[in-house]
């Protein structure tokens, strides 16, 4: 495959993911979850808040409406293009969670929603969050547990196989249940964890089930006939208003220590200075 073909495929995949995220974000439960994450950030007017893995930028725009300097970062150039098109007045930068374009202690709030499960080393991202946050700054992590997705199906065993096989292909599929320990190990204070279960019955969420079954099939965990039959059942359920997907979302929050003595050159290494 040529580089041009690869770029086209990458763009198509991003478009498909964006359509799924848009459908999910429009649901009342998702709006409530975003609002809860903003509340836990304890926003300070005019302070800088970064949304890591910002995708198409909805949270960046909503945070800006709350009176903070919101900045979105994402490693996906196609997502950033969509974000800049949708929210032309907002600020976005191409960067990954492990290497943020901020100076030490320059950020008051850090938010990452549905990000840590794709990281190979979530602990590195937590250390980077600690680096950029000022003393007393707030961090909020939101994410689903990919090993605990519940799908109503006539074949419970096959459903479990598909869910777990898809989870095993991710960098850190159980990152959500690990948020508390990640933040404690990262030296954060006042760590709290909540779990909010979102229930999806809209046919628009069929694409989520396709994104479960197809990778599970490609990995060899299930056969082509099994995947097709499972997806066909789910389409029938959607057509008769019998579709049901339940997904637990972990919401963890914490504060950077007010006393940062020993931060530079300590367990997080020497202080690095970067600016936007």
């Amino acid at each position: 495959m040529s580089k041009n073909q690869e770029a086209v495929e990458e763009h198509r995949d991003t478009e498909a993911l964006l359509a799924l995220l848009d459908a999910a974000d429009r649901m009342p439960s998702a709006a409530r979850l975003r609002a809860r994450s903003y509340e836990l950030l304890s926003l300070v007017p005019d302070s800088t808040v970064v949304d890591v893995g910002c995708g198409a930028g909805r949270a960046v725009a909503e945070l800006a409406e709350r009176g903070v300097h919101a900045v979105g970062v994402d490693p996906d150039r196609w997502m950033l293009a969509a974000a800049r098109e949708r929210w032309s007045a907002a600020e976005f930068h191409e960067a990954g969670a492990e290497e943020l374009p901020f100076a030490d202690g320059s950020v008051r709030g850090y938010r990452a929603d549905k990000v840590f499960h794709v990281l190979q080393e979530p602990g590195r991202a937590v250390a980077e969050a600690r680096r950029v946050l000022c003393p007393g700054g707030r961090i909020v992590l939101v994410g689903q547990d990919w090993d605990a997705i519940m799908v109503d199906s006539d074949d419970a065993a096959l459903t479990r196989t598909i869910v777990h096989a898809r989870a095993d292909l991710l960098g850190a599929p159980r990152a959500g249940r690990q948020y508390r320990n990640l933040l404690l190990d990262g030296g954060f204070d006042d760590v709290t964890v909540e779990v909010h279960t979102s229930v999806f019955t809209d046919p628009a969420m069929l694409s989520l089930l396709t994104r479960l079954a197809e990778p599970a099939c490609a990995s060899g965990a299930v056969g082509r006939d099994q995947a097709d039959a499972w997806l066909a059942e789910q389409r029938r359920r959607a057509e008769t208003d019998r579709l049901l997907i339940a997904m637990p979302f972990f919401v963890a929050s914490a504060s950077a220590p007010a006393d940062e003595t020993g931060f530079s050159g300590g367990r997080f290494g020497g202080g690095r200075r970067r600016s936007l």
Side-chain angles (χ1 to χ4, degrees):
M1 184 181 294
S2 69
K3 288 186 177 180
N4 186 54
Q5 289 174 313
E6 289 178 358
V8 170
E9 288 300 318
E10 181 184 359
H11 190 200
R12 285 177 179 168
D13 189 61
T14 299
E15 288 293 312
L17 177 57
L18 185 55
L20 174 59
L21 292 174
D22 282 343
D25 282 347
R26 286 192 292 266
M27 295 181 182
S29 60
R32 289 192 295 269
L33 195 60
R34 290 197 304 276
R36 179 57 178 155
S37 73
Y38 307 153
E39 180 183 9
L40 289 168
L41 282 170
S42 302
L43 299 173
V44 174
D46 298 323
S47 64
T48 298
V49 176
V50 59
D51 190 48
V52 176
C54 65
R58 184 185 302 270
V60 175
E62 291 178 345
L63 284 164
E65 290 173 354
R66 287 161 170 76
V68 299
H69 174 215
V71 182
V73 300
D74 199 288
D76 189 323
R77 58 177 174 147
W78 298 111
M79 278 290 184
L80 287 177
R84 290 175 177 133
E85 181 178 353
R86 293 181 180 192
W87 319 102
S88 58
E91 184 177 347
F92 299 100
H93 297 272
E94 186 174 342
E98 302 91 343
E99 185 114 4
L100 297 175
F102 299 96
D104 296 359
S106 62
V107 171
R108 178 63 181 73
Y110 173 108
R111 178 182 181 274
D113 184 353
K114 296 185 287 294
V115 174
F116 275 40
H117 67 270
V118 301
L119 304 179
Q120 294 296 326
E121 299 179 80
R124 286 185 57 202
V126 170
E128 182 70 345
R130 172 77 184 277
R131 181 188 69 78
V132 302
L133 279 168
C134 67
R138 295 286 292 167
I139 180 172
V140 175
L141 306 178
V142 182
Q144 67 272 55
D145 191 311
W146 282 79
D147 231 3
I149 296 175
M150 294 159 276
V151 182
D152 191 16
S153 170
D154 296 337
D155 192 331
L158 178 58
T159 301
R160 282 194 297 271
T161 298
I162 289 173
V163 169
H164 295 319
R166 178 66 184 97
D168 287 343
L169 296 174
L170 296 168
R174 290 163 289 279
R177 69 182 75 172
Q178 297 165 351
Y179 284 162
R180 182 175 184 271
N181 286 340
L182 282 168
L183 291 172
L184 289 172
D185 291 344
F188 283 91
D189 294 336
D190 307 316
V191 180
T192 66
V193 181
E194 305 170 359
V195 181
H196 301 251
T197 301
S198 293
V199 177
F200 305 108
T201 59
D202 193 305
M205 298 307 288
L206 278 171
S207 57
L208 169 62
L209 300 180
T210 300
R211 295 179 75 89
L212 293 180
E214 290 300 336
C217 180
S219 72
V222 298
R224 181 72 266 170
D225 290 346
Q226 289 177 299
D228 288 345
W230 189 78
L231 288 171
E233 182 212 340
Q234 293 304 319
R235 286 193 291 270
R236 290 193 297 271
R237 285 174 171 270
E239 291 166 358
T240 57
D241 193 25
R242 296 297 185 271
L243 183 71
L244 187 140
I245 307 164
M247 190 178 301
F249 282 85
F250 285 82
V251 183
S253 63
S255 299
D259 180 7
E260 288 290 347
T261 302
F263 175 77
S264 295
R267 63 195 270 190
F268 293 95
R272 289 168 290 160
R273 301 295 299 181
R274 288 197 298 274
S275 59
L276 290 173

